[in-house]
Each structure stands twice: as structure tokens, then as C-alpha cells.
């Protein structure tokens, strides 16, 4: 009788710990995806402006930049 806790409580604790670990790893993966999404958005904006410059010239880019709201 060296154990103070019954076996059922030990199983529950390990199950809860595994679930908590799974939640933490899932949150880390989500934060990585959000970071990747931000990078893709910035790349998309850059490519869009480069395409606009090639097709419409620098005047078209200047006109487009004028319509971007500054926060």
C-alpha cells in the first residue's frame, strides 16, 4: 500500500495530461499556420504591385498607392 491514489485517478491524470499536451501542440501548429498566412499575404501584395507596374506602368502604381488607407 505505497500508493495513496487509486489506479483510476492515476489513469485520469495521465489522460488529462495527454489531452493538455495535445491541445498545446495543436495551438503551436495553428500559430505557425497564421505566421505562414501573414507571409503569403505580404508576398501576394508585393507580386500584385509588381504586376501592376509591369502592365500599367509606374503611374498606375502611384495611383494605387494613393488609395491605400494609412492607419
Amino acid at each position: 500500500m505505497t500508493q495513496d491514489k487509486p489506479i483510476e485517478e492515476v489513469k485520469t491524470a495521465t489522460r488529462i495530461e495527454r489531452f493538455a499536451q495535445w491541445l498545446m501542440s495543436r495551438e503551436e501548429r495553428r500559430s505557425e499556420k497564421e505566421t505562414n498566412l501573414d507571409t503569403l499575404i505580404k508576398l501576394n501584395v508585393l507580386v500584385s504591385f509588381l504586376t501592376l507596374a509591369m502592365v500599367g506602368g509606374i503611374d498606375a502604381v502611384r495611383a494605387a498607392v494613393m488609395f491605400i488607407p494609412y492607419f
Side-chain angles (χ1 to χ4, degrees):
M1 302 276 173
T2 59
Q3 269 187 329
D4 293 339
K5 296 181 180 179
I7 294 173
E8 294 167 353
E9 285 185 29
V10 172
K11 279 186 178 178
T12 305
T14 58
R15 187 179 294 168
I16 291 171
E17 289 171 357
R18 284 186 286 153
F19 180 67
Q21 185 64 31
W22 176 79
L23 280 176
M24 292 298 291
S25 65
R26 185 180 75 164
E27 186 62 31
E28 288 174 3
R29 287 192 308 263
R30 278 190 179 173
S31 66
E32 289 174 5
K33 284 183 181 178
E34 290 175 2
T35 303
N36 290 340
L37 185 62
D38 290 342
T39 305
L40 287 175
I41 289 173
K42 290 176 184 176
L43 179 64
N44 188 12
V45 168
L46 176 66
V47 170
S48 297
F49 275 105
L50 289 175
T51 304
L52 181 63
M54 288 182 358
V55 172
I58 193 66
D59 292 331
V61 174
R62 286 186 187 138
V65 169
M66 285 183 4
F67 292 115
I68 296 174
Y70 293 102
F71 299 116

